[in-house]
Amino acid sequence: VEANVAIQEKMPSTAAHIWQFAIPVIGEANPGAPMVEEALIAECIRHNNEAMIVSNLRRLFDRIERTEEQGPLYQCQCYSAINLCGTLLTGFGQPMEREKLAELCAIQDASALCQALTELLLQLCRRVHKQENEQLRASKYHLLEFVQEHFRDPALSLAMLSDTLGLSQPYISKLFKDETGQNFVAYVRQLRFAWVQRELSDTDRPVKDIVLDSGYMDVANFSRSFKAFSGVTPAEYRRQRQDRRAKELHSVVEE
């Protein structure tokens, strides 16, 4: 493989297509084909499209099999196919082991080599997809856990989450929508309102202190939002809860 790369670097660009997988276009080879094929297969791996991986490799080996069997060009193209596969593995952080490289280079039959490289890339595709799912689950867990622990922080925002967790803001927004059915702002508002309701019901703290402690800095604006959410102002909500508690206590005493 290294010799093949060295040859390509030494050859004039007009002749370089001889050593590459080129798709014939009106009788001429296209020197950009290997890069295109590598990019296509890489996209198939990213999108977990196994059928297209198989199709692209089959098309690539169809051209190899039309080459003079066991000739120097045939052998170089087989090595180039192995090199393309190795580049993809390295690009996805799973470089090919030397033993595997030697095993592939020893395969003389193009069909057998195609099958071996196909299996290797399909395994890579499945590992990449599995890792992405695991990373997604971890991202969801850490994101929701962080928000549930810090929802009372006035500085909490998409920008803060992005900086703290190393995730993009669009990605965070999508995660919230997928997991909670709400956008980020609505989810945080719901957490804050629920916390305020518990504090109003269970404590005698001043309404203003509770609101400010919930993460809101504007008490008047919060009261309007709370009324839209609960149907009553924070003070009215507390009175209703106190009245209900008094009735429940009176009922117990009578019994």
Side-chain angles (χ1 to χ4, degrees), residues 28 44 69 97 107 163 174-175 225 233 235 245-246 248-249:
E28 295 185 0
C44 292
E69 188 172 355
E97 297 178 354
I107 299 175
D163 292 341
K174 185 177 185 307
L175 279 181
S225 299
T233 65
R245 188 173 300 162
E248 291 173 353
L249 181 60

Side-chain angles (χ1 to χ4, degrees), residues 8-228:
Q8 291 188 56
E9 291 177 347
K10 295 295 183 181
M11 291 180 68
S13 58
T14 54
H17 65 268
I18 293 175
W19 304 95
Q20 297 173 333
F21 298 115
I23 302 174
V25 179
I26 315 180
E28 295 185 0
N30 177 4
M35 295 179 63
V36 172
E37 286 172 337
E38 182 180 321
L40 283 173
I41 296 174
E43 284 302 301
C44 292
I45 293 171
R46 291 189 186 96
H47 292 88
N48 194 33
N49 192 333
E50 295 188 6
M52 286 301 296
I53 293 174
V54 174
S55 175
N56 277 289
L57 280 174
R58 184 65 263 169
R59 186 171 62 250
L60 186 153
F61 273 89
D62 283 344
R63 294 199 300 275
I64 294 178
E65 291 171 351
R66 289 197 296 268
T67 307
E68 181 185 355
E69 188 172 355
Q70 303 305 324
L73 180 56
Y74 173 91
Q75 194 64 55
C76 276
Q77 288 192 102
C78 287
Y79 286 154
S80 290
I82 297 170
N83 190 48
L84 180 147
C85 186
T87 301
L88 287 167
L89 285 162
T90 300
F92 283 96
Q94 301 181 37
M96 188 185 302
E97 297 178 354
R98 289 181 178 272
E99 294 78 6
K100 188 63 179 181
L101 177 60
E103 177 187 325
L104 293 171
C105 289
I107 299 175
Q108 298 298 314
D109 179 69
S111 295
L113 181 59
C114 178
Q115 181 63 30
L117 294 183
T118 298
E119 291 176 359
L120 198 60
L121 290 181
L122 289 179
Q123 290 172 5
L124 172 65
C125 180
R126 290 160 191 162
R127 287 196 298 268
V128 168
H129 188 60
K130 181 180 178 181
Q131 289 175 351
E132 288 178 348
N133 285 338
E134 290 173 349
Q135 291 171 355
L136 179 60
R137 284 194 294 270
S139 295
K140 290 177 180 178
Y141 173 78
H142 290 303
L143 177 62
L144 294 176
E145 182 183 47
F146 185 89
V147 171
Q148 288 166 1
E149 290 179 356
H150 297 84
F151 70 88
R152 291 163 54 198
D153 184 346
L156 183 65
S157 64
L158 282 175
M160 174 189 174
L161 287 173
S162 179
D163 292 341
T164 303
L165 302 178
L167 303 171
S168 70
Q169 293 187 37
Y171 181 75
I172 293 172
S173 295
K174 185 177 185 307
L175 279 181
F176 266 101
K177 191 67 175 178
D178 292 344
E179 287 300 297
T180 69
Q182 300 175 304
N183 61 37
F184 168 75
V185 173
Y187 184 74
V188 173
R189 181 171 59 240
Q190 180 175 307
L191 290 177
R192 288 175 174 173
F193 286 163
W195 184 85
V196 169
Q197 287 177 332
R198 288 194 298 272
E199 289 293 299
L200 291 172
S201 298
D202 301 339
T203 75
D204 294 324
R205 297 174 60 198
V207 172
K208 179 179 179 180
D209 291 350
I210 293 175
V211 172
L212 293 175
D213 200 20
S214 72
Y216 280 93
M217 303 304 294
D218 187 336
V219 177
N221 182 58
F222 178 87
S223 295
R224 287 191 294 270
S225 299
F226 185 89
K227 184 174 183 178

